[in-house]
Amino acid sequence: MGETFACSPGAWWLSLQVAGVVLVLFLTLGIGLAYVLTLPIPLRGLLDSLVSLLLVFPPIAVGFVLLMIFSRHGPVGGWLDEMLGWNMVFSFPALVLAAFIAGLPLVVKPIQAAIEGSARDLVEVSQTLGKGRMATLILVVIPAVRGSIVAGLVLGVGRSFGEVGITLMLGGNIIGATETLSLAIYNHVLDGDFTCAGHVSAMLGGVSLLLFLLLQHFGVRR
Amino acid sequence: MSGLMADVRFRHRGFSLDVALGVPPGGVTALLGPSGCGKTTLLRLLAGLERPGDGVIQRGDRIWFDSSRRVHLPTRRRRVGFMFQQYALFPHLTVAGNIAFGLPSKRDHLARVNLWLERLHLQGLERRYPGSLSGGQKQRVALARALAPEPDVLLLDEPFSAVDQGLRRDLRLLFQEVIAAQGIPVIVVTHDLDDARYIADRAGVMIQGRLRRLGPTEQVFAQPGDVQVAQVLGWSNLLPVAGVDQGHAWGGWGRLPLPASARGRHLDRLAVHPEGPRLVSDGDGLAGQVTRVMGLGRRTLVICRLEDRTPLQIVLTDGCAVPRLGECMHVRIPLDCVTPLHNGSLP
């Protein structure tokens, strides 16, 4: 056990931090986006397609597109650089963004499906009883689809641990700075340190298995 | 209390709805019609869950929708009690929590909830969750939840469809009692004719997105007016009329005198009430052969094929002689069980 953490102590800590921040983002923006996608708003179809597209689009290509957008010469990155003098690429927020984008459809889709399925009537009843959209989200939608929310969060956070493609592009795989667990395995293999690669892989596999069991537990209860 | 008035048009994927109706406060208006005729859509338009293409909806002098003035009050501000077909109770709230959901202030929650638990005979169930309730209990909770905030209008979508037949009679009585006491406009959408007969004092028939008939329930059922409405209202004996002369209508099935009210008016069919005709072995009347005899408890259903093979259903009550299968008989049809119908015009 000690040996395992000794292999890449920084990567463990970094991955846990990323997972923690991403979990908070999924809880707020993820659930919010899922709810918005069930409302009759303009451009809903486009937004829905974009989220779904992330599921099939190759992560490394998504990473490249994000790099183009957020690099110092990109539209958003250039603006950030100019206004705040801050370069997002190869930083901790870049890792969070990578994990967030990768896990987003896994969080949004099950919650969206649950709201459109079982919760659609409930949302309408809530409106007839005088509640607005925000009150309906908090009082009705979230409690009614909590099983799907847990499932989505587990999938999304699990994905954040395994994320490589986008992280590599946006984070840069800088050892000691932006080296996450999955990248650590890759780096150990490149260095020929198969023992460490094995240890970290086994532990990461264990974490995934734990999340899977958690998911099954909630899946049954739902 | 003032009534609900609507005059709306709505289109969606080839379906078009064009309805004008007024619903007075107090009493219950039932909307009948085949599946897909737009009954539920009309309720959703009234509640603001769908938006009409154009038209006006108003409750008293309060305007809910007016396309010419670009007014569209959102559902939450219309104060409608809406009961969904599958009840849509909040699964994560108790019975009391469900009933209290639409109450505006926290102050008198308990008293109001208790009042509705009592009115709908739900005492003792307040801490239960919807998953553990029977169909009839769920239905009463849904009605209590819709009425607790004292809505301005009550809309019920197939309120009895998920309840066992045996329970329906009691529930209809309870509903009628509770709803009538509110003194607000109430619309019940149903495809069950008995629902309409038992709880509604006014009935409307919708066909293909149009309201084809609206009036006092008794009158609508007795004088459907056109053939399609008659079919929706369960009239089965519709004799095609080939011609009219000297106060009589005739067809391949024979010849019948017309009621005075029908004389001089265009008619395409004669509807014959199954509980009026008598079967006699000789004398005048339409000639026919008995092709089916079925016992219905204290009554007997006889199907008689007239001369042109048109089947005529006749219900014989206790005490009438039951004919044998294959027997040739004469059917005497009193004037008061004949209703003239026209084909109506399809939109």
Side-chain angles (χ1 to χ4, degrees):
Chain A
M1 199 68 167
E3 282 171 46
T4 310
F5 287 111
C7 276
S8 323
W12 270 105
W13 179 229
L14 187 64
S15 273
L16 281 174
Q17 278 179 307
V18 170
V21 176
V22 154
L23 177 66
V24 174
L25 290 178
F26 285 152
L27 267 171
T28 50
L29 298 177
I31 295 173
L33 183 60
Y35 183 48
V36 166
L37 285 178
T38 64
L39 298 175
I41 51 155
L43 297 181
R44 191 184 73 148
L46 183 72
L47 202 59
D48 194 32
S49 306
L50 269 177
V51 174
S52 302
L53 205 62
L54 290 174
L55 277 177
V56 286
F57 219 65
I60 197 93
V62 173
F64 178 68
V65 172
L66 289 173
L67 184 65
M68 289 297 99
I69 294 172
F70 285 98
S71 74
R72 211 173 294 174
H73 307 291
V76 178
W79 182 80
L80 284 173
D81 190 41
E82 205 173 290
M83 300 303 287
L84 309 168
W86 178 58
N87 186 11
M88 183 196 190
V89 171
F90 302 158
S91 68
F92 179 74
L95 298 180
V96 171
L97 180 69
F100 178 71
I101 294 290
L104 192 64
L106 299 173
V107 176
V108 168
K109 284 290 147 186
I111 301 175
Q112 185 190 351
I115 298 175
E116 280 170 348
S118 62
R120 217 197 70 182
D121 284 359
L122 302 181
V123 168
E124 293 186 340
V125 171
S126 172
Q127 288 169 8
T128 66
L129 292 167
K131 299 287 190 277
R133 281 178 181 171
M134 202 60 195
T136 299
L137 174 66
I138 292 165
L139 296 174
V140 175
V141 174
I142 290 177
V145 301
R146 60 188 189 278
S148 300
I149 290 178
V150 172
L153 291 177
V154 168
L155 283 172
V157 172
R159 179 78 175 77
S160 84
F161 279 106
E163 166 50 36
V164 171
I166 308 176
T167 311
L168 201 59
M169 280 284 165
L170 273 187
N173 189 14
I174 303 166
I175 294 172
T178 60
E179 185 200 37
T180 59
L181 270 184
S182 291
L183 288 176
I185 299 171
Y186 176 73
N187 292 335
H188 285 310
V189 172
L190 281 190
D191 293 345
D193 187 353
F194 282 65
T195 319
C196 259
H199 279 302
V200 179
S201 291
M203 281 302 283
L204 204 54
V207 169
S208 303
L209 193 65
L210 195 73
L211 290 175
F212 175 74
L213 292 174
L214 210 65
L215 189 65
Q216 277 221 316
H217 176 68
F218 279 100
V220 170
R221 269 186 48 188
R222 198 147 42 100
Chain B
M1 277 286 178
S2 45
L4 175 70
M5 202 284 292
D7 182 1
V8 287
R9 277 147 295 285
F10 175 75
R11 279 179 175 281
H12 183 64
R13 292 188 186 159
F15 171 78
S16 94
L17 181 143
D18 186 344
V19 169
L21 92 164
V23 182
V28 177
T29 300
L31 284 182
L32 291 154
S35 324
C37 71
K39 305 178 297 250
T40 297
T41 304
L42 180 60
L43 280 199
R44 294 177 58 81
L45 289 167
L46 295 175
L49 297 171
E50 307 281 353
R51 189 182 179 136
D54 72 280
V56 179
I57 303 172
Q58 63 185 79
R59 162 72 173 74
D61 47 16
R62 205 161 159 239
I63 297 190
W64 284 358
F65 178 80
D66 186 343
S67 52
S68 64
R69 285 198 261 170
R70 293 175 163 269
V71 178
H72 177 65
L73 210 60
T75 301
R76 65 175 194 279
R77 290 178 49 206
R78 293 192 185 193
R79 295 179 51 83
V80 288
F82 197 115
M83 197 172 135
F84 285 71
Q85 190 170 1
Q86 299 302 323
Y87 311 137
L89 296 177
F90 301 123
H92 57 287
L93 296 178
T94 59
V95 167
N98 267 280
I99 296 174
F101 190 86
L103 296 178
S105 76
K106 286 266 171 223
R107 209 156 33 86
D108 55 351
H109 265 195
L110 200 63
R112 296 268 288 275
V113 169
N114 282 334
L115 177 76
W116 283 102
L117 286 169
E118 193 186 322
R119 275 192 190 159
L120 287 166
H121 311 324
L122 290 163
Q123 298 106 316
L125 298 177
E126 50 267 49
R127 287 163 187 273
R128 296 262 292 270
Y129 284 88
S132 69
L133 300 178
S134 72
Q137 289 167 340
K138 282 184 193 165
Q139 189 220 29
R140 281 178 282 149
V141 174
L143 182 65
R145 181 180 63 180
L147 285 175
E150 296 178 354
D152 288 342
V153 170
L154 180 63
L155 307 172
L156 310 172
D157 189 5
E158 302 278 2
F160 303 99
S161 64
V163 181
D164 294 340
Q165 276 295 342
L167 259 175
R168 282 194 183 192
R169 214 165 313 154
D170 295 343
L171 281 171
R172 282 190 196 119
L173 282 176
L174 179 67
F175 259 57
Q176 223 253 338
E177 202 181 291
V178 171
I179 289 169
Q182 303 304 306
I184 54 174
V186 179
I187 302 180
V188 179
V189 154
T190 180
H191 64 263
D192 186 320
L193 301 176
D194 284 341
D195 285 351
R197 281 206 195 93
Y198 283 101
I199 68 173
D201 52 326
R202 298 202 330 143
V205 176
M206 275 186 78
I207 294 168
Q208 294 183 5
R210 305 290 186 277
L211 187 62
R212 293 275 284 270
R213 187 92 169 81
L214 179 68
T217 309
E218 289 276 314
Q219 198 185 324
V220 168
F221 272 88
Q223 293 152 24
D226 76 59
V227 176
Q228 282 182 308
V229 173
Q231 280 164 338
V232 169
L233 295 175
W235 285 81
S236 46
N237 298 326
L238 303 172
L239 305 178
V241 174
V244 180
D245 59 56
Q246 295 166 349
H248 285 68
W250 53 271
W253 38 268
R255 189 178 156 88
L256 275 177
L258 284 172
S261 60
R263 289 184 196 158
R265 277 168 51 190
H266 171 74
L267 73 160
D268 299 298
R269 302 234 187 174
L270 279 186
V272 178
H273 199 280
E275 283 181 14
R278 280 182 305 133
L279 284 167
V280 291
S281 48
D282 53 7
D284 51 352
L286 304 177
Q289 187 179 23
V290 175
T291 56
R292 243 183 130 175
V293 178
M294 268 162 42
L296 301 172
R298 297 170 67 98
R299 303 185 302 172
T300 308
L301 175 70
V302 175
I303 297 180
C304 203
R305 291 221 179 249
L306 303 177
E307 273 182 67
D308 64 344
R309 310 288 298 153
T310 304
L312 189 74
Q313 294 187 16
I314 301 165
V315 175
L316 301 175
T317 44
D318 241 4
C320 290
V322 175
R324 278 176 325 222
L325 209 61
E327 206 175 343
C328 287
M329 309 284 284
H330 290 270
V331 189
R332 279 198 195 143
I333 303 178
L335 264 186
D336 64 355
C337 44
V338 175
T339 304
L341 302 173
H342 56 85
N343 276 340
S345 50
L346 282 179

